[in-house]
Amino acid sequence: MTKPGLPKLVATDLDGTLVRSDDTVSAYTHEVLDRVRAAGIRIVGATGRGPRLTSLIRQDIRAADFLVMAQGGWVLDQAESAYLRQSWLSGADLVPVLAALEAEVGRLSVMIEALEHDDAPLWGDFDPTWRYPVTVLPRTRAECLSGNVIKAFVRSFGHHVDDLLEVARRVVPEHVASVTQAGLDYVEICPPGVNKATGLSVVAEAVGVDPADVLVFGDMPNDLPMFGWAGWSRVAVANAHPVLLEVADEVTLTNDEDGVAVYLDKLLSR
């Protein structure tokens, strides 16, 4: 339930939530976020995008005090230009995970994110279903998994992503890796204990904010952990996945209608 007054921290997903379908963020949204920050409320961008997209993330949420990236595995303090969390997954641990998944669903398309510098390429086999501009360096799976990685993207050729996620949750031990999906037709395999809630917990501890004073916005299953963690209110955009709409306290307009900004604008005005 929404609490009276104002939250102390606002965390929002980007793609499908704050960012519109044309991959832009409106001037209105930026202006509202600036006013939220001016009101003394901390702003956090909580995204599945990895650190290789830091510049793009900053462009899309310019008012953010912190960036929670890579599904919560990397947490950046913008003011200090310092990471509060950097999580890695052993490539060796991914080998049996991928084998277990393929034993259940057949061959997978696999791309690996292993480099954190801006505009770093992915590794593996380019998948034509990937909707964003990306450079993929061709590498064998063994080469991709020879060291630590940030996360893996896997797509089934014959199963819907929600079904693949269900299989992954069943066959991937939680102590080995965490799994989620963010609406790209891929299941993402991340280090164990990594999700948006654990990433936001790092921020909350750093600034002394209780989860009960946190307002969150999202649209996809990867936002479920932070919806379960935040206590001020959990708001889904109208275009959200059914599993998120089911647990949301409130539903705002779609991302293309600047739903996050409209909600926050009303919040500041009341």
Side-chain angles (χ1 to χ4, degrees), residues 139-244:
R139 291 195 174 192
T140 66
R141 190 173 296 183
E143 290 171 331
C144 289
L145 303 181
S146 61
N148 292 336
V149 306
I150 295 171
K151 61 178 173 175
F153 299 91
V154 300
R155 183 176 71 85
S156 169
F157 294 96
H159 293 73
H160 188 273
V161 64
D162 287 340
D163 297 326
L164 179 60
L165 179 59
E166 184 176 340
V167 171
R169 285 173 172 163
R170 175 166 51 84
V171 304
V172 179
E174 291 184 359
H175 71 275
V176 175
S178 58
V179 295
T180 192
Q181 76 101 343
L184 290 174
D185 291 331
Y186 294 81
V187 163
E188 299 186 25
I189 306 173
C190 301
V194 161
N195 59 57
K196 290 189 180 183
T198 60
L200 284 172
S201 294
V202 172
V203 175
E205 183 176 349
V207 299
V209 170
D210 190 279
D213 293 315
V214 178
L215 163 63
V216 294
F217 296 90
D219 76 314
M220 292 301 294
N222 64 321
D223 297 315
L224 283 170
M226 71 176 183
F227 269 48
W229 174 83
W232 196 88
S233 191
R234 292 74 62 90
V235 183
V237 286
N239 54 286
H241 191 287
V243 299
L244 208 70

Side-chain angles (χ1 to χ4, degrees), residues 4-269:
L6 295 173
K8 294 181 180 178
L9 186 149
V10 171
T12 180
D13 172 58
L14 298 184
D15 299 301
T17 302
L18 193 76
V19 180
R20 299 178 294 190
S21 299
D22 63 359
D23 299 329
T24 65
V25 177
S26 71
Y28 168 64
T29 292
H30 284 303
E31 185 269 332
V32 170
L33 289 175
D34 286 340
R35 285 195 280 119
V36 169
R37 195 164 186 261
I41 302 169
R42 295 181 184 272
I43 296 175
V44 181
T47 178
R49 300 180 195 175
R52 68 189 180 87
L53 298 174
T54 300
S55 290
L56 180 61
I57 296 168
R58 285 172 168 157
Q59 173 184 308
D60 286 340
I61 186 163
R62 298 194 295 255
D65 299 283
F66 295 86
L67 302 179
V68 171
M69 301 180 286
Q71 305 297 3
W74 289 62
V75 178
L76 178 64
D77 181 337
Q78 296 264 74
E80 300 295 329
S81 296
Y83 282 108
L84 304 182
R85 186 187 200 189
Q86 293 174 288
S87 302
W88 298 91
L89 176 62
S90 165
D93 287 345
L94 261 177
V95 173
V97 167
L98 295 176
L101 281 173
E102 291 188 321
E104 294 279 340
V105 302
R107 186 171 67 90
L108 295 168
S109 169
V110 179
M111 293 190 295
I112 299 296
E113 184 166 349
L115 304 174
E116 69 268 28
H117 64 267
D118 252 353
D119 296 323
L122 299 179
W123 296 344
D125 297 315
F126 175 73
D127 192 322
T129 67
W130 188 266
R131 70 174 293 260
Y132 297 108
V134 66
T135 299
V136 180
L137 294 183
R139 291 195 174 192
T140 66
R141 190 173 296 183
E143 290 171 331
C144 289
L145 303 181
S146 61
N148 292 336
V149 306
I150 295 171
K151 61 178 173 175
F153 299 91
V154 300
R155 183 176 71 85
S156 169
F157 294 96
H159 293 73
H160 188 273
V161 64
D162 287 340
D163 297 326
L164 179 60
L165 179 59
E166 184 176 340
V167 171
R169 285 173 172 163
R170 175 166 51 84
V171 304
V172 179
E174 291 184 359
H175 71 275
V176 175
S178 58
V179 295
T180 192
Q181 76 101 343
L184 290 174
D185 291 331
Y186 294 81
V187 163
E188 299 186 25
I189 306 173
C190 301
V194 161
N195 59 57
K196 290 189 180 183
T198 60
L200 284 172
S201 294
V202 172
V203 175
E205 183 176 349
V207 299
V209 170
D210 190 279
D213 293 315
V214 178
L215 163 63
V216 294
F217 296 90
D219 76 314
M220 292 301 294
N222 64 321
D223 297 315
L224 283 170
M226 71 176 183
F227 269 48
W229 174 83
W232 196 88
S233 191
R234 292 74 62 90
V235 183
V237 286
N239 54 286
H241 191 287
V243 299
L244 208 70
L245 291 171
E246 185 176 341
V247 301
D249 296 316
E250 302 176 82
V251 178
T252 187
L253 299 174
T254 68
N255 62 323
D256 288 332
E257 298 170 302
D258 295 330
V260 172
V262 169
Y263 181 97
L264 291 172
D265 201 352
K266 291 179 180 177
L267 183 65
L268 292 174
S269 301

